[in-house]
Amino acid sequence: LTDNPLMKNTYNKGDLVAVTGDIGLAALGFELDDWNNVYAKSALKPKARIKEGLVLKDYATSATDITDGLASELHEIKRDGFGFMIYEECLDISDEYKDLAGQLGLDYLDLALHVGEDFELLFTIQKDDLKKLSIDYKVIGEVTDSDVIELTLENGFVEQIKNRGYEHYVSE
């Protein structure tokens, strides 16, 4: 396969945290009754990010896919002595998304962070290597030495991101 695989947790302090697309679309799509929208399409027809993965293998310091939610994946790749600061404004969650979630009585950040099924790639990269990427991506945060995973909200408050995501094999 490869002599130099891209691992999940080989990042360094100061690396940027990025994703290949929008997160939370599938989570909202599963909640909607109308299936003719970008959210439902994201839920029902996820796109494998193969091309992006092939590009990232040459530049990213670590990478994984987002299957169980961004929060779950960040906790999965976290190493002792390292943390992540994610910025809500960089998640670029649309007003439409926020409004739809609110109409359904759902917390838009909970959907975006904890539900999953996005199948986007979460990766870390050195700042100098960003300009080398020939793919669409969104920088959402940075690797820190705080030993916690945090979110800076749009209002400036900082809160820890809980380790919750999609739970496989859970019966009710």
Side-chain angles (χ1 to χ4, degrees), residues 47-152:
K47 295 179 183 174
R49 298 298 184 182
I50 296 168
K51 178 188 98 171
E52 292 85 347
L54 291 171
V55 170
L56 289 173
K57 74 178 178 58
D58 294 328
Y59 302 108
T61 53
S62 68
T64 189
D65 67 329
I66 303 174
T67 55
D68 298 334
L70 178 63
S72 177
E73 303 305 339
L74 288 168
H75 281 275
E76 174 76 21
I77 68 172
K78 187 193 170 307
R79 298 188 331 233
D80 286 342
F82 289 88
F84 303 103
M85 177 58 77
I86 306 300
Y87 301 95
E88 179 184 355
E89 66 186 19
C90 294
L91 296 175
D92 200 25
I93 300 171
S94 72
D95 288 337
E96 177 187 69
Y97 185 99
K98 293 174 184 178
D99 290 344
L100 285 169
Q103 290 170 27
L104 294 168
L106 301 169
D107 181 292
Y108 70 90
L109 278 175
D110 189 55
L111 287 172
L113 295 176
H114 300 290
V115 177
E117 299 301 314
D118 291 308
F119 301 104
E120 295 295 344
L121 299 178
L122 167 65
F123 64 97
T124 58
I125 189 167
Q126 293 178 357
K127 187 177 184 177
D128 292 343
D129 286 335
L130 275 178
K131 61 184 173 280
K132 300 174 185 173
L133 295 181
S134 59
I135 60 171
D136 290 332
Y137 63 89
K138 182 183 306 182
V139 173
I140 62 168
E142 59 196 322
V143 177
T144 68
D145 60 2
S146 68
D147 207 30
V148 293
I149 300 173
E150 298 176 301
L151 176 69
T152 299

